[in-house]
Amino acid sequence: MRDVVLLLHVVVGTSGLALGPAWLVARRRGHPAHALAVAYQAAVAGVVCSAAVLAVTDPGLRWLLPVAVVTEVLAVTGALARRRSWPAWRSWQPHLLGGSYVALVTGLLVAETGHPVAWLLPTVLAQPPIALAKRRLHAVAAPPAHVPA
């Protein structure tokens, strides 16, 4: 049973890692990318559910349960922020969705390397793209400058 859940965890995690950039590129090209958004959210939910099963069945992994829950909260909240036009969503959405993706990358690196740097490197490397996304979202929302006639 554990092997099946672990295989599912790897498959949906890999899907999430592939879908995140695909969704971003599609949005940057002006496509609504609803299918990619739903697929990414499903992949994150799948990773979280499989991680929860693994954490509950292995006492050594129970500490990962809160990490999984936070990952799902970041992904869902990031998607809802824009869709519901929450105040300051342009500032929050890149951090929320970026955070969910950083969690996927961190999980991969920690599982593959076990190196302590793997816990910090994705977060540090994600800051410039998140800042750029925020800048672009705010630039799109900025009112056009008044040009005298």
Side-chain angles (χ1 to χ4, degrees), residues 123-147:
T123 301
V124 171
L125 293 178
Q127 294 316 299
I130 288 172
L132 182 61
K134 283 176 61 172
R135 186 173 313 139
R136 286 189 174 139
L137 284 172
H138 285 285
V140 169
H146 177 68
V147 179

Side-chain angles (χ1 to χ4, degrees), residues 4-102:
V4 172
V5 174
L6 187 57
L7 177 63
L8 176 66
H9 185 72
V10 170
V11 168
V12 294
T14 302
S15 298
L17 288 167
L19 288 164
W23 182 14
L24 177 65
V25 168
R27 292 293 300 152
R28 289 280 325 273
R29 292 183 176 165
H31 301 290
H34 294 298
L36 287 171
V38 169
Y40 177 75
Q41 292 293 334
V44 172
V47 167
V48 168
C49 289
S50 59
V53 170
L54 292 169
V56 168
T57 58
D58 184 346
L61 296 176
R62 291 204 181 165
W63 63 274
L64 286 175
L65 197 52
V67 175
V69 170
V70 168
T71 301
E72 181 66 12
V73 167
L74 289 170
V76 170
T77 307
L80 290 176
R82 180 180 195 141
R83 191 170 304 130
R84 297 199 176 161
S85 295
W86 289 346
W89 73 265
R90 286 178 175 83
S91 292
W92 285 100
Q93 189 193 35
H95 288 286
L96 295 166
L97 288 175
S100 72
Y101 192 78
V102 165

